[in-house]
Amino acid sequence: MVNKITVVGAGNVGATTAQRLAEKELARQVVMVDVVEGVPQGKGLDQWESAPIELFDARVIGTNGYAETADSDIVVITAGIARKPGMSRDDLLNTNAGIVKAVATEVKKSSPRAIIIMVSNPLDVMAYVAMKVTGFPRERVIGMAGVLDTARYRSFLAEALDISVRDIQAMVLGGHGDTMVPLISYTTVSGIPVSQLLDKAKLDAIVARTRDGGAEIVRHLKTGSAYYAPSAAAVQMCESIVLDQKRVLPCAAWLQGEYGMRDLFLGVPCKLGRKGLERILEVQLTADEKAALEKSAAAVREPMAAVTL
Ligand SMILES: NC(=O)c1ccc[n+]([C@@H]2O[C@H](COP(=O)([O-])OP(=O)(O)OC[C@H]3O[C@@H](n4cnc5c(N)ncnc54)[C@H](O)[C@@H]3O)[C@@H](O)[C@H]2O)c1
């Protein structure tokens, strides 16, 4: 258990993340920050009042300022607007860049040693904004996308195969958008290559559904985007850091030559431990996968170039 985890943004993703962090007792104190007066306070108090039933000792509080967040070990940033039907993640760029800039400036002042887990979209660009504004090293700015995209992919595979989700190992790399790269060559069912169990047409359909996974939820909800699986994914990353599990998870990391690319955030296999991003693992890719990753990188560079810092 670390001392303090702050979640910025007490909306759907933020509040669910705070609740999961508290229930798993990953910090002594979980602080929710939002600009809307009363909402973080009310949600924080409500969550804390569930402690005697759920039996956790992590104290949850909500606030509109950063004084209570001082010296957080981890800051999860979920502040910003979410997608509505018909919107792409890149449509959120300018609004969320302004919000993330303001948040990152406060985090730098109040928690200079924190590890930032970025959640706000467009994910890869918002991670870049936070890294630039804070000046934190790449070990301490990590984007959440791949864990979620991989969870979606694994859940669809488990459903198609009628097999436990636990036995499906997989990796989705690349940017958090339509160009993401689910790696069929690294997808196994307890070590058995998935291509031995599902034909190509079925696998292609699952890959397409994974790429569209966020939009599928937006079409159902109409007024917002997914938050149960996204919050679970952010908390899994926090857990690996807090407990120094050194799990290998697909996360958006600032590439410095890995996969032949540099100076952008892109989803790659990362080892997460107490120091944050402890290692980027480079795996062999087929020519098609390499081309898909490069296409995905180009789709990240475009909005990145459009953002003003
Ligand atoms: N990376 C991913 O895989 C992933 C998955 C789901 C959602 N998201 C993104 O996460 C973000 C949040 O989604 P949501 O569903 O929780 O949205 P939401 O609208 O429910 O919550 C966003 C919250 O941010 C708050 N906020 C706005 N400006 C703020 C500021 N300056 N400081 C603090 N709080 C501020 C709002 O008041 C609101 O409560 C969106 O950008 C969404 O696209 C990313």
Side-chain angles (χ1 to χ4, degrees), residues 8-14 33-36 66 78-83 92 96 99 102-103 118-121 123 144-145 148 176 225-227 230:
V8 186
N12 285 334
V13 180
V33 187
D34 202 288
V35 283
V36 182
Y66 284 79
T78 76
I81 54 167
R83 283 198 286 173
L92 312 173
N96 285 358
I99 291 172
V103 171
M118 179 56 66
V119 177
S120 309
N121 273 318
L123 188 274
M144 186 292 285
L148 169 64
H176 187 48
S225 61
Y227 54 101

Side-chain angles (χ1 to χ4, degrees), residues 64-309:
N64 301 118
Y66 284 79
E68 294 88 339
T69 73
D71 295 322
S72 294
D73 299 278
I74 299 177
V75 178
V76 183
I77 300 181
T78 76
I81 54 167
R83 283 198 286 173
K84 302 229 163 52
M87 285 172 93
S88 79
R89 293 179 179 91
D90 285 350
D91 290 335
L92 312 173
L93 183 69
N94 289 326
T95 308
N96 285 358
I99 291 172
V100 168
K101 260 191 251 176
V103 171
T105 304
E106 294 293 342
V107 171
K108 182 187 169 138
K109 278 191 273 179
S110 52
S111 299
R113 287 183 300 277
I115 294 168
I116 293 179
I117 307 287
M118 179 56 66
V119 177
S120 309
N121 273 318
L123 188 274
D124 308 276
V125 188
M126 292 306 108
Y128 164 69
V129 170
M131 197 184 73
K132 282 286 167 198
V133 171
T134 57
F136 288 3
R138 74 167 181 173
E139 287 73 18
R140 296 199 283 121
V141 184
I142 313 162
M144 186 292 285
V147 176
L148 169 64
D149 297 329
T150 304
R152 286 180 172 146
Y153 179 51
R154 289 169 62 206
S155 68
F156 300 150
L157 287 167
E159 195 179 17
L161 289 160
D162 191 24
I163 275 174
S164 167
V165 288
R166 290 164 205 267
D167 293 328
I168 303 195
Q169 301 81 33
M171 269 291 164
V172 177
L173 304 188
H176 187 48
D178 304 338
T179 58
M180 68 180 75
V181 188
L183 296 180
I184 293 177
S185 59
Y186 285 96
T187 306
T188 67
V189 178
S190 292
I192 306 161
V194 73
S195 51
Q196 293 183 18
L197 303 173
L198 284 173
D199 62 33
K200 187 169 178 319
K202 193 91 197 161
L203 276 172
D204 286 347
I206 289 173
V207 164
R209 189 175 177 198
T210 302
R211 289 204 173 109
D212 187 53
E216 183 178 357
I217 305 282
V218 173
R219 285 195 295 273
H220 282 300
L221 295 179
K222 294 178 187 70
T223 54
S225 61
Y227 54 101
Y228 293 112
S231 56
V235 170
Q236 186 175 60
M237 291 170 66
C238 291
E239 187 172 37
S240 188
I241 293 168
V242 170
L243 304 181
D244 200 22
Q245 289 173 327
K246 303 194 190 293
R247 295 206 57 186
V248 175
L249 301 169
C251 306
W254 182 248
L255 298 187
Q256 288 297 292
E258 295 85 2
Y259 293 90
M261 297 182 223
R262 61 172 54 243
D263 297 343
L264 84 161
F265 273 89
L266 202 66
V268 289
C270 296
K271 182 174 92 173
L272 298 191
R274 196 60 198 87
K275 297 191 185 79
L277 169 66
E278 296 190 348
R279 184 180 163 198
I280 293 175
L281 285 82
E282 285 194 81
V283 298
Q284 287 176 11
L285 301 177
T286 64
D288 283 354
E289 288 165 348
K290 213 176 262 174
L293 199 63
E294 266 152 29
K295 188 174 161 212
S296 193
V300 171
R301 285 195 199 278
E302 206 182 295
M304 211 177 124
V307 81
T308 43
L309 286 169

Side-chain angles (χ1 to χ4, degrees), residues 16-27:
T16 319
T17 298
Q19 184 187 9
R20 292 186 193 279
L21 288 169
E23 287 180 357
K24 282 180 175 273
E25 294 189 315
L26 289 179

